[in-house]
Amino acid sequence: MTQDFAFLKRIYNAFDPFRPLPAGDPAYVDCTEVRGDGDILVEVGREILYSDRITSQLYAGHRGAGKSTELLRLQKYLDEQGCFVVYFPADEQDIDPEDAQYTDILLACTRHLIEKLKDTNPASLLNWLNDRWLDLKDLALTEVSLQSLSIEGQIAQFAKLTANLRTEPTQRQKIRERVNPHTITLIAALNEFIQDAKKHLPSGYSQLVLIADNLDRIVPIPQEDGRSNHDQIFIDRSEQLQALDCHLLYTVPISLLYSNRAADLANIYGNTQVLPMIMVQTPDNQPYQRGINKVIEILQKRLSLIDSSLSVVDMFEQREALERLCLMSGGHVRNLLLLMKEAIKYTNSLPIPTRALQRSMSELRNTYRNTVFANEWEALATVYHSKEIENDPLYRGLLFNRCILEYRYLNREGESQVWYDIHPLIKGIKEFQDTFNRLYPA
């Protein structure tokens, strides 16, 4: 079949890998049964709704696994249960994932709470800002006097200050140095604001929930003591992260759960819900048809939004090519959509030629080849052989970079089983094959 440019363009954009689905989106597919039966509405949502105290929770998973889509579902669910939810993706306007510290997160939370609850009296926070404006106004890149502005204008100046943490790298450390000594008083002022806001929530709401998304994208930076900035933010500063007087949910890098501070993390925040990959193969390297069918459903639902008569199976020269796409994605939703999108880019008319699909796979495989350091091939071979990982910085780095993926399933007794594998595209890299054959000869 042949298609014009406009039609292929619509299909191409239907597989956008960087747009989380809003709650209720018709393209959403419930993959709970092939992700180990975890449900954010139950494990995180009910913790908030059932608890008589303020909760602070963490949510983890590989970047691109679909966490933002799940968090938007959670936001809608909590909203329907009477919770006023302040949700924000931290890396869009507030933090630089390549250089982020706790202060950046606190200021981001403050800004979004003020903006979403702007009808509440922000006097406590504006007084805090006024008291320190002489020290801070040059970092906001303004000469304006706060006293000359309306409340909305003062809030805008605070937003400008926090935005500079992301957009002005030369100002970033200066802002931190001037705000850090005053974080205790900032939290006190923010809590005064929150307490007042909770008394004046819109009709039908009784609780306040703050969700800070995309903090899992903060790049790990080793420190001189052998720890990382992840430890400093989520463990050393946990008391401050938990100090806000509302229900809190922060996304965290999945690699943090496998550090030597994992027990401390559980003691501080409780069990962290993890969104694993869609299980498209079994631990003994056999295709898992239920998982493959779910991945095909993801593609089909997006395609049906373009034309309900189209079948994703018919988009490929052979069904085997479609199933190979599902397997090579590793059950990683963003990689799945990226591979599909790239294959369409190399296609002049449907069905997608197998050669175009192979090219998209080889492009992404090259990305993974460039990601892996020479001393990491043995670790990857070990994981592929054992389906286990070691509590070691090298393995944590491979988890963070999505070279190692986490999977879960329920055994016959209903117990959650966790296992690991390398990204399937890595299996086709010569350096991996040579290393595996040397360590585990047939």
Side-chain angles (χ1 to χ4, degrees):
M1 58 180 115
T2 60
Q3 285 80 25
D4 60 21
F5 172 82
F7 184 69
L8 284 174
K9 180 178 179 180
R10 290 175 64 203
I11 294 178
Y12 177 83
N13 285 287
F15 297 105
D16 183 355
F18 300 106
R19 181 183 67 87
L21 297 177
D25 193 291
Y28 178 77
V29 175
D30 183 358
C31 297
T32 302
E33 64 178 294
V34 288
R35 289 193 193 261
D37 209 35
D39 186 347
I40 192 172
L41 305 188
V42 173
E43 298 179 18
V44 176
R46 289 184 185 172
E47 177 72 12
I48 292 170
L49 296 174
Y50 288 179
S51 182
D52 288 331
R53 60 174 179 80
I54 296 298
T55 63
S56 57
Q57 300 181 76
L58 302 179
Y59 187 49
H62 296 282
R63 289 168 294 153
K67 292 188 302 302
S68 295
T69 293
E70 294 301 307
L71 287 170
L72 292 173
R73 285 183 63 231
L74 176 66
Q75 179 185 20
K76 182 176 185 290
Y77 170 74
L78 292 175
D79 181 85
E80 292 170 346
Q81 303 300 317
C83 296
F84 188 95
V85 181
V86 177
Y87 166 90
F88 68 97
D91 65 330
E92 288 189 2
Q93 297 179 335
D94 302 289
I95 68 166
D96 179 355
E98 300 285 339
D99 176 21
Q101 294 184 13
Y102 158 75
T103 308
D104 312 4
I105 298 172
L106 175 60
L107 289 173
C109 291
T110 303
R111 179 171 81 83
H112 286 278
L113 283 166
I114 294 176
E115 291 181 349
K116 296 294 174 60
L117 297 163
K118 57 186 177 183
D119 294 332
T120 303
N121 182 10
S124 59
L125 284 168
L126 296 181
N127 288 338
W128 180 91
L129 186 60
N130 265 295
D131 290 343
R132 290 156 188 86
W133 191 241
L134 286 177
D135 285 338
L136 294 172
K137 70 176 184 179
D138 62 314
L139 300 179
L141 302 181
T142 182
E143 293 299 324
V144 70
S145 168
L146 282 190
Q147 288 80 1
S148 65
L149 299 174
S150 64
I151 289 177
E152 291 77 10
Q154 293 181 55
I155 292 174
Q157 289 303 315
F158 186 90
K160 188 174 181 181
L161 175 69
T162 60
N164 285 345
L165 279 166
R166 175 173 172 78
T167 61
E168 299 290 339
T170 58
Q171 302 290 86
R172 192 174 297 148
Q173 189 56 35
K174 295 178 183 178
I175 294 174
R176 292 170 182 157
E177 289 172 355
R178 297 188 194 181
V179 172
N180 271 336
H182 305 290
T183 54
I184 293 176
T185 57
L186 174 56
I187 290 172
L190 181 55
N191 277 337
E192 187 178 332
F193 169 76
I194 290 172
Q195 289 155 12
D196 182 68
K198 289 194 292 187
K199 296 175 184 176
H200 300 91
L201 290 173
S203 177
Y205 295 102
S206 59
Q207 298 192 72
L208 178 62
V209 180
L210 175 69
I211 300 176
D213 193 6
N214 294 350
L215 299 179
D216 57 301
R217 299 181 183 182
I218 297 175
V219 175
I221 301 175
Q223 308 298 305
E224 292 182 359
D225 59 3
R227 300 165 68 246
S228 78
N229 56 327
H230 291 170
D231 296 299
Q232 293 178 341
I233 292 170
F234 296 104
I235 296 177
D236 297 351
R237 287 287 200 160
S238 61
E239 186 174 340
Q240 289 92 336
L241 280 177
Q242 294 180 303
L244 303 189
D245 193 18
C246 60
H247 293 285
L248 300 162
L249 178 59
Y250 302 105
T251 55
V252 294
I254 190 172
S255 53
L256 183 62
L257 305 184
Y258 298 93
S259 72
N260 58 5
R261 302 290 299 279
D264 293 334
L265 206 66
N267 288 334
I268 294 167
Y269 298 98
N271 291 331
T272 298
Q273 159 134 25
V274 176
L275 182 68
M277 297 294 97
I278 297 169
M279 202 170 93
V280 292
Q281 65 177 26
T282 63
D284 56 356
N285 303 319
Q286 296 301 309
Y288 183 57
Q289 199 59 49
R290 287 175 64 189
I292 291 172
N293 291 342
K294 277 293 180 183
V295 171
I296 292 174
E297 185 181 351
I298 290 173
L299 297 174
Q300 181 61 60
K301 282 206 171 185
R302 288 177 178 255
L303 185 62
S304 295
L305 295 178
I306 302 299
D307 186 335
S308 60
S309 67
L310 292 175
S311 167
V312 72
V313 176
D314 294 337
M315 286 189 66
F316 295 85
E317 290 182 334
Q318 302 169 321
R319 182 182 174 89
E320 290 77 10
L322 171 59
E323 299 219 354
R324 177 167 170 75
L325 166 66
C326 298
L327 286 169
M328 289 300 101
S329 74
H332 184 279
V333 176
R334 182 174 295 164
N335 277 181
L336 169 72
L337 299 177
L338 184 62
L339 287 169
M340 188 71 173
K341 186 179 173 186
E342 290 298 295
I344 294 170
K345 188 170 72 177
Y346 298 125
T347 297
N348 294 321
S349 64
L350 297 179
I352 297 171
T354 301
R355 182 173 181 176
L357 179 60
Q358 189 58 46
R359 182 172 177 182
S360 74
M361 291 178 184
S362 64
E363 293 285 347
L364 189 54
R365 180 179 288 117
N366 286 335
T367 298
Y368 278 100
R369 177 187 285 112
N370 295 336
T371 299
V372 178
F373 290 104
N375 66 323
E376 294 174 330
W377 293 113
E378 288 193 5
L380 291 170
T382 300
V383 171
Y384 180 58
H385 176 75
S386 68
K387 307 305 185 203
E388 298 176 352
I389 62 171
E390 296 181 17
N391 189 341
D392 180 90
L394 186 147
Y395 288 83
R396 290 197 290 274
L398 291 168
L399 270 170
F400 183 83
N401 291 330
R402 302 179 301 281
C403 294
I404 296 175
L405 304 177
E406 178 175 317
Y407 298 89
R408 299 189 180 205
Y409 67 94
L410 295 182
N411 64 16
R412 293 180 179 178
E413 289 73 39
E415 299 172 333
S416 179
Q417 304 293 305
V418 183
W419 63 283
Y420 307 88
D421 204 352
I422 65 173
H423 195 291
L425 288 173
I426 292 177
K427 299 172 189 177
I429 298 175
K430 184 178 184 301
E431 290 89 339
F432 168 77
Q433 294 172 344
D434 290 345
T435 303
F436 184 83
N437 292 333
R438 173 171 56 82
L439 292 177
Y440 305 99

